[in-house]
Amino acid sequence: MSKIRILSDQLASRIAAGEIVERPASAVKELLENSLDAGANRIDIQVEGDGTRLIRVIDNGTGMDHDDVLLCLERHATSKLREESELETVSTLGFRGEALPSIASVSRLVILSRLRGAAIGTRAEVQDGILRDVHETGCAYGTIIEVRNLFSNVPARRKFLKSKRTELAHIEEVIRSQSLAYAEISFSLLIDGRTVLDLPATSPEQRMRDAYRCLGTTLLDLQAEGEVIVKGWLILPEESRTAPLRICVNRRPVQDRLLRHAAAEGMQGLLMKGQQPAGVLLLELAPELADINVHPAKREIRFRQANVVCGAVAQAAQDTVQRHQERLRARFFTTPKKEEPRPQKKLVQQVDLPLIQAAEPEPKFQEQISPLFSPPPLSIPEEQTSRLVKQEYGKLRLIGQFAHLYLLCEMEEQLVIIDQHAAHERILYQQLKQNYEQHLASSQSLLFPVTVELGPEQASFLERKEEMLATLGIVVDFFGGSTWLIKALPALVAHLPAQEVLADVLNALLANLPDCIDKLFASLACKSAIKAGNRLQPQEMLALLEEMGSSKLFSHCPHGRPVLKNFSRQEIEKWFKRI
Ligand code: ADP
Ligand code: MG
């Protein structure tokens, strides 16, 4: 006699439930999806306890007639798919026809539904997968689904549930993230009779602000058209705290590491080390380009051309960052009139004097004028002299320097504070990077070449990478034995100790990581930039502002720290209790 038996539907449902209904929040997610697929424009969710006592979802969608109320409890019963071929292009949130029977197999489930236009509704009750009662009933158009005693017949699952707070937080997150892609629909969540979420129909941006309570946060909008439509908002890293990046693909919240990575790549330079991008990413693409049928709970997604999708996201994020810079530029600086090729650098003097190669001790007295700016002060073109007298650049009027670190400026009704080191660091980083990318790194010969001792491994690496070093603006020569000569350095960092620059470069190249060159530039820019504690002359501060105004990216240092911050007059008056 055969040992193999076909499982009863009831047992099969309970097994499937293990994958689909992991915790109360997963039941909420499935019910929410059904209400959205039913075209509801108002969905109210009520929860008691940690969600295992009661979950009730009330919608004003199409509703079901008597037969459908019974059918929807069967496994693989769905109104959303007919042909196999439709699986490729399915655009509803559900399609597997598994959620209701799965939930019903591990709870006491009541469905109350009335089809739009029908005279009467239907009530059905299922206990642990067995239909207990069906009858006609009066109810509003739409559907109410009640799930009680979730997992009461699966003690193992109950044991794996976390604290009430955690389970409720998961439920909230399900509703919030789903609501992002359905701003035109109202959602509410009541927990033990208390309103926790009240999200009226609104614009997508307002929905994000309402759902995540980020009313005053600066949102940088993403927008890209094409095969992949990218919408959404990025939060500036200094305002994001620990907010994650929430992603919806074709109106479905998903977790996707690749997309998060792509957004981070586009925001490069704005994110601090280890910091993740924050905000909301709403993607739309032809359903056949994405496969959501990877996981029973449909949390993960696979893209047919992942590189195209990621490329679109990275590009959109990068454009967003750039637009943000342009907005800030227009706000603080007037755009330069002429599009002349700009001289290589202004802040750091290219002096043809022997360069100091030994690491110098930090200046002891703060009063000491920055060695970067001596000798001679910047030569200021004549048309700028009047500006200098008034001490202004763009819309900023320079007030002075605070703590030998911050430039204080006035603009319209605002006080603008700029971190001189962070600002300069970003400018140098941009220049190093741009020169490198355009093969324009100008190198500066050292009047007295510097000798350096290299181990055999470093020496052979150096030989192999000579061309690469030249692209960076470094010229080295073999001297004899283990001694090498550094003859030229990149002009932008030529005032730094040559051995240190070479060591940085060798370390970066030896690491051979994808972002090693960026890291190298960030490190060189940091060493080379004006330091905290450097007192600046007004013309040097103005030159710094001018450099900022013409740098492609200036709002954050290469490590992601903000460069400038402004306080409105109103804010300041509040401090002084004037308003
Ligand atoms: P799926 O959503 O994958 O089709 P479900 O088990 O979640 O599977 O639901 C089965 C069917 O029940 C759906 O296809 C739909 O026709 C019907 N249904 C479920 N919930 C609702 C609802 N809130 N309003 C109207 N119809 C619903
Ligand atoms: Mg469903």
Side-chain angles (χ1 to χ4, degrees):
M1 205 180 79
S2 158
K3 287 182 286 187
I4 300 175
R5 257 175 280 157
I6 302 217
L7 298 178
S8 72
D9 261 5
Q10 204 183 332
L11 186 53
S13 287
R14 199 178 299 177
I15 292 169
E19 288 179 311
I20 299 166
V21 203
E22 202 183 325
R23 57 184 355 146
S26 0
V28 172
K29 171 183 163 294
E30 293 295 337
L31 299 178
L32 207 54
E33 286 186 0
N34 283 346
S35 297
L36 289 167
D37 282 344
N41 63 16
R42 157 144 221 117
I43 305 175
D44 298 300
I45 301 118
Q46 301 167 2
V47 170
E48 286 179 16
D50 62 359
T52 54
R53 195 187 314 153
L54 171 74
I55 294 169
R56 183 184 291 126
V57 177
I58 306 164
D59 73 47
N60 62 356
T62 53
M64 288 177 273
D65 64 12
H66 177 273
D67 292 351
D68 278 350
V69 166
L70 291 180
L71 264 175
C72 77
L73 294 163
E74 300 289 330
R75 286 193 70 217
H76 309 304
T78 178
S79 56
K80 302 168 195 173
L81 267 190
R82 272 163 217 283
E83 308 276 330
E84 194 182 328
S85 60
E86 289 174 10
L87 190 55
E88 291 273 289
T89 55
V90 64
S91 61
T92 46
L93 293 168
F95 55 87
R96 297 170 60 107
E98 284 183 314
L100 288 180
S102 299
I103 299 170
S105 73
V106 290
S107 69
R108 183 158 75 81
L109 184 127
V110 172
I111 304 182
L112 269 167
S113 196
R114 180 171 164 204
L115 196 63
R116 197 148 284 275
I120 195 120
T122 309
R123 181 184 189 277
E125 186 173 336
V126 190
Q127 172 80 52
D128 299 335
I130 296 164
L131 186 65
R132 297 284 179 203
D133 177 52
V134 199
H135 60 255
E136 288 192 333
T137 182
C139 59
Y141 290 133
T143 303
I144 302 178
I145 299 204
E146 272 180 19
V147 180
R148 288 182 196 271
N149 306 338
L150 185 64
F151 304 134
S152 62
N153 59 351
V154 202
R157 183 51 51 112
R158 266 199 117 103
K159 252 189 255 157
F160 278 101
L161 295 184
K162 299 275 185 314
S163 69
K164 176 174 170 182
R165 210 170 68 193
T166 306
E167 294 305 329
L168 291 177
H170 279 289
I171 291 177
E172 259 191 69
E173 179 56 25
V174 159
I175 300 165
R176 288 196 162 119
S177 59
Q178 184 68 77
S179 80
L180 291 173
Y182 286 88
E184 73 284 14
I185 289 169
S186 310
F187 297 83
S188 76
L189 169 65
L190 238 70
I191 297 180
D192 292 330
R194 196 171 53 87
T195 303
V196 173
L197 285 176
D198 182 17
L199 304 171
T202 180
S203 67
E205 179 179 334
Q206 191 57 40
R207 170 54 57 83
M208 166 173 182
R209 292 189 185 277
D210 291 347
Y212 289 102
R213 303 195 178 108
C214 49
L215 296 181
T217 310
T218 318
L219 299 181
L220 311 180
D221 57 328
L222 286 159
Q223 34 178 284
E225 297 288 327
E227 206 178 355
V228 183
I229 298 174
V230 186
K231 293 181 193 159
W233 305 271
L234 295 175
I235 301 178
L236 279 176
E238 62 267 34
E239 294 186 34
S240 73
R241 291 183 212 108
T242 54
L245 181 69
R246 293 176 168 99
I247 305 171
C248 292
V249 178
N250 290 344
R251 306 184 105 189
R252 182 195 302 282
V254 291
Q255 309 276 352
D256 193 277
R257 213 172 39 83
L258 286 178
L259 290 179
R260 210 169 310 131
H261 200 79
E265 198 184 300
M267 286 184 81
Q268 215 183 39
L270 235 61
L271 294 176
M272 285 200 237
K273 202 171 166 216
Q275 198 175 23
Q276 293 295 321
V280 167
L281 198 58
L282 304 172
L283 297 190
E284 287 167 37
L285 65 166
E288 57 269 26
L289 295 181
D291 183 4
I292 188 64
N293 201 13
V294 183
H295 186 275
K298 298 167 293 189
R299 270 192 305 254
E300 287 163 32
I301 192 159
R302 241 169 244 160
F303 296 105
R304 205 131 297 169
Q305 290 170 301
N307 54 343
V308 173
V309 184
C310 289
V313 169
Q315 187 62 49
Q318 200 182 338
D319 293 347
T320 297
V321 169
Q322 207 46 56
R323 273 200 307 277
H324 177 57
Q325 301 302 305
E326 297 316 324
R327 265 196 304 266
L328 287 181
R329 198 190 314 282
R331 192 155 137 212
F332 295 113
F333 310 112
T334 39
T335 37
K337 278 157 266 148
K338 287 176 277 175
E339 273 294 304
E340 276 176 27
R342 290 162 24 73
Q344 266 276 305
K345 61 173 182 164
K346 288 182 189 159
L347 278 173
V348 180
Q349 292 300 306
Q350 297 181 25
V351 274
D352 285 333
L353 291 171
L355 287 144
I356 307 156
Q357 297 301 348
E360 264 201 333
E362 280 280 306
K364 285 218 176 62
F365 304 107
Q366 299 226 315
E367 289 70 29
Q368 201 168 335
I369 289 173
S370 154
L372 291 182
F373 295 108
S374 57
L378 301 162
S379 61
I380 317 275
E382 225 163 87
E383 76 265 18
Q384 291 180 16
T385 356
S386 69
R387 203 160 77 197
L388 240 178
V389 174
K390 285 196 251 157
Q391 300 211 347
E392 57 184 31
Y393 174 70
K395 293 181 188 154
L396 296 173
R397 199 185 67 75
L398 185 65
I399 301 172
Q401 192 187 21
F402 169 65
H404 296 165
L405 170 56
Y406 301 102
L407 310 195
L408 302 186
C409 305
E410 182 180 19
M411 184 192 83
E412 289 152 11
E413 294 278 271
Q414 301 186 50
L415 173 67
V416 182
I417 305 183
I418 296 167
D419 179 323
Q420 65 188 34
H421 174 70
H424 194 201
E425 207 179 353
R426 165 56 76 179
I427 294 163
L428 291 176
Y429 174 83
Q430 289 297 122
Q431 290 174 346
L432 282 165
K433 196 168 153 118
Q434 190 182 334
N435 290 346
Y436 174 71
E437 282 167 2
Q438 300 176 354
H439 296 277
L440 285 174
S442 63
S443 83
Q444 184 174 321
S445 305
L446 305 183
L447 202 58
F448 300 111
V450 175
T451 57
V452 50
E453 298 295 313
L454 295 179
E457 208 175 308
Q458 282 177 315
S460 87
F461 185 74
L462 199 75
E463 265 172 341
R464 273 182 284 132
K465 292 284 175 182
E466 227 178 298
E467 213 171 300
M468 171 82 164
L469 291 181
T471 325
L472 288 165
I474 300 182
V475 182
V476 285
D477 217 351
F478 181 59
F479 187 71
S482 58
T483 309
W484 290 69
L485 280 180
I486 308 172
K487 295 175 120 180
L489 284 183
L492 286 169
V493 297
H495 57 289
L496 292 177
Q499 288 161 336
E500 207 176 301
V501 174
L502 186 69
D504 270 11
V505 171
L506 285 181
N507 288 341
L509 297 183
L510 273 164
N512 199 23
L513 292 171
D515 59 350
C516 64
I517 291 284
D518 284 342
K519 287 221 174 90
L520 168 68
F521 291 155
S523 148
L524 291 178
C526 180
K527 285 183 183 155
S528 187
I530 347 161
K531 302 274 178 303
N534 281 157
R535 196 169 78 182
L536 301 186
Q537 297 300 316
Q539 62 266 39
E540 292 167 333
M541 294 191 245
L542 288 172
L544 180 62
L545 294 180
E546 188 162 351
E547 291 277 347
M548 283 175 74
S550 36
S551 180
K552 189 163 177 252
L553 213 151
F554 62 89
S555 71
H556 292 71
C557 85
H559 309 100
R561 277 192 296 114
V563 158
L564 73 178
K565 170 116 185 93
N566 50 322
F567 298 91
S568 67
R569 177 175 183 156
Q570 238 190 354
E571 255 173 289
I572 295 171
E573 294 197 333
K574 260 195 204 152
W575 299 344
F576 293 101
K577 310 272 180 229
R578 281 183 175 272
I579 48 170

